[in-house]
Amino acid sequence: MTHRGPVVRHAPGKLFVAGEYAVVQPGTPAILVAVDRQVGVTVAGAGSGDVTVTSDLCPQGARLRRTRDGLTAYDADDEQRARVSLAHVVSALDVMDGLLTERGLTPPALHISVSSGLHTGGTKYGLGSSGAVTVATIAAVTDYCGLDLTPEARFRLAMLATARLDATSSGGDLAASTWGGWIAYEAPDRVAVLELARRRGIEEVMRAPWPGFGLRRLPPPRGLTLEVGWTGEPVSTGSLVSRLDTGGRADGAGYRDFLTRSTAVVRACVQALERADHRELLHQIRCARQVLTRLDNETGLGIFTDKLTVLCDAAEAVGGAAKPSGAGGGDCGIALLDAGAQTDISQMRARWAAADVVPLELAPADERNMSDER
C-alpha cells in the first residue's frame, strides 16, 4: 500500500429541497442540493501506530489506539471527545480500518485534522456537517492509502459509518456531499446494510444490491434563484426524527398518508425540474410546505417555528415558494424565486431581516465547483 504525502479532501454541505422526514423510510424519495460551503479533512502520516484526530470544533482532539475491538481512546477525556464531538470521523476511520484489514493491508498511523465552513463560532447552520465530515474523511483516507474507489463505493462506506452511529439517519446528506449538484435520493434499508456488514464484511457491503437505495442526478432550476435563510436556532435532526417513533406515530395511518403525499410531491418536483417547468416547481414546493405543515399539526413535532413561518410567508408574498429545509424546528429554510426579480428578492430579504432571519450567501455545488477532483 502506497502512502501519499498529506492529503486534503473536501465535501460540501447540503439542503433538503423536498422529502424530509419521509426519506428516512427506505425507498421513499427526497430531493437535495449540495451547497458551496464545505468541510475539509487533512490526512497525514503519524510517527506511531496511533491515530490522532483534531477539528476546529474540538481543538483538544482525541488520541486513539487500534485494538481488536477497533479504535479505542487512551483516556476518559479522549473517549468523551471521540464519542461526541468527533464521533463521525472516528466511525469513518473504523470503517476504513475494516476495509484495509479485509484487503490484507495494515492500517497506517494517521493524524486527521478537520476544518469546517458549515458553522460560525461553533454554531452550526444545519447544512449537514456530520455527513460532510464523514464523506470527506472517507475520501481523504482512501486517497492517502492509494485506494481507487468510485463515488458510490465511498458513499457506501460513509453510509455504513453513519448507520453504525444512528440507523435512523437517511444518508441523504452523504449522497449530496458525495455527488454534488441536485439529486433525487432514496435511502437504503440501513438495518439490512448493518446486518450485511456483520455477516459478510465491508467488501460485500460495497458490492451487494442495497434494498431501497436509489439516486439520480437532476438538472438545476434554470431561471430560478435559491435563497437560504438561517434562523440562528440550531436543532438536532436526530432528536426530531426520533420523536416520530414516540407513541407509535411512525406506524400510524396519518404517517403513512404523509409518506404517500410526500412521495407524490417529490416525484412531481423531479418531473418539473427535468421539464424545466418552473411554475410547476414553485407550485410543488408550496405543496411540500403544506405536507410538512400537516405533519407538524398532527404530530406536534415543532417543525415550523415563528421564524420559519415568516421566512416562508415572505417568499410567497413576492411570488416565490419556500419551506423549511431538513428537520425544521430552527436551522434553515429555502426559497425559490425568479432569478431576474431582484426587487422581489430584496423585499423578501428585508422581511427576513425584520424577523432576525439571516440570509446565507450560498450557491449549489456541483462537479464543476466542488474543490477536489475525483
Side-chain angles (χ1 to χ4, degrees):
M1 179 171 59
T2 301
H3 299 156
R4 301 172 53 179
V7 171
V8 183
R9 291 293 175 260
H10 296 83
K14 61 79 183 120
L15 290 163
F16 270 95
V17 177
E20 47 271 277
Y21 284 100
V23 72
V24 300
Q25 299 299 319
T28 307
I31 297 173
L32 299 95
V33 59
V35 298
D36 61 353
R37 292 201 185 186
Q38 302 179 326
V39 170
V41 172
T42 301
V43 174
S48 71
D50 295 338
V51 173
T52 59
V53 183
T54 62
S55 80
D56 53 359
L57 289 175
C58 186
Q60 308 96 321
R63 292 185 309 136
L64 309 166
R65 63 179 183 271
R66 291 185 168 99
T67 70
R68 291 182 178 180
D69 297 323
L71 290 168
T72 302
Y74 270 91
D75 56 36
D77 289 339
D78 285 336
E79 177 70 13
Q80 174 68 10
R81 291 189 287 268
R83 287 184 175 273
V84 181
S85 301
L86 304 169
H88 289 84
V89 176
V90 174
S91 188
L93 293 172
D94 254 331
V95 167
M96 290 304 302
D97 275 7
L99 176 63
L100 291 169
T101 300
E102 286 185 19
R103 294 186 173 186
L105 303 171
T106 300
L110 297 173
H111 176 74
I112 314 290
S113 60
V114 179
S115 61
S116 175
L118 304 184
H119 68 88
T120 293
T123 301
K124 297 180 180 180
Y125 296 122
L127 298 174
S129 58
S130 297
V133 76
T134 304
V135 169
T137 300
I138 295 289
V141 175
T142 292
D143 288 357
Y144 179 82
C145 294
L147 305 182
D148 184 16
L149 299 181
T150 65
E152 182 167 336
R154 295 197 306 272
F155 164 78
R156 286 174 173 242
L157 293 170
M159 184 76 259
L160 177 58
T162 299
R164 286 180 172 182
L165 296 175
D166 179 10
T168 67
S169 177
S170 72
D173 52 353
L174 305 172
S177 292
T178 298
W179 278 280
W182 292 68
I183 59 169
Y185 172 77
E186 296 172 19
D189 184 331
R190 281 82 73 200
V191 173
V193 169
L194 289 170
E195 179 62 15
L196 179 63
R198 186 188 68 82
R199 290 188 295 105
R200 304 290 296 275
I202 295 173
E203 287 280 11
E204 187 66 16
V205 164
M206 294 169 62
R207 293 193 300 263
W210 278 11
F213 172 60
L215 184 135
R216 63 198 281 195
R217 289 189 177 277
L218 298 173
R222 306 292 184 190
L224 294 177
T225 185
L226 176 68
E227 295 286 319
V228 183
W230 180 51
T231 67
E233 301 165 346
V235 66
S236 168
T237 298
S239 64
L240 281 173
V241 172
S242 66
R243 286 174 57 190
L244 276 176
D245 292 327
T246 304
R249 289 170 178 162
D251 298 321
Y255 184 69
R256 291 194 296 271
D257 182 59
F258 161 73
L259 294 178
T260 299
R261 289 181 285 111
S262 178
T263 297
V265 167
V266 170
R267 288 176 176 166
C269 285
V270 168
Q271 291 182 351
L273 283 165
E274 292 180 335
R275 296 173 181 172
D277 188 341
H278 299 153
R279 180 174 297 182
E280 177 64 13
L281 179 61
L282 293 176
H283 170 68
Q284 292 301 331
I285 294 298
R286 297 184 191 110
C287 289
R289 176 188 178 184
Q290 294 169 5
V291 168
L292 285 177
T293 299
R294 183 168 172 179
L295 176 69
D296 204 19
N297 291 339
E298 291 176 351
T299 62
L301 288 173
I303 298 170
F304 283 85
T305 64
D306 290 343
K307 288 184 179 182
L308 285 172
T309 298
V310 169
L311 182 153
C312 295
D313 289 346
E316 293 196 9
V318 294
K323 57 180 286 296
S325 177
D331 281 340
C332 292
I334 60 166
L336 287 170
L337 298 94
D338 183 342
Q342 291 301 315
T343 300
D344 291 342
I345 294 171
S346 296
Q347 289 178 0
M348 181 195 70
R349 287 189 167 202
R351 294 190 184 191
W352 285 5
D356 292 326
V357 174
V358 179
L360 296 181
E361 299 300 330
L362 299 174
D366 58 22
E367 62 274 13
R368 293 169 298 178
N369 61 4
M370 289 169 65
S371 295
D372 304 314
E373 294 296 327
R374 295 286 185 246

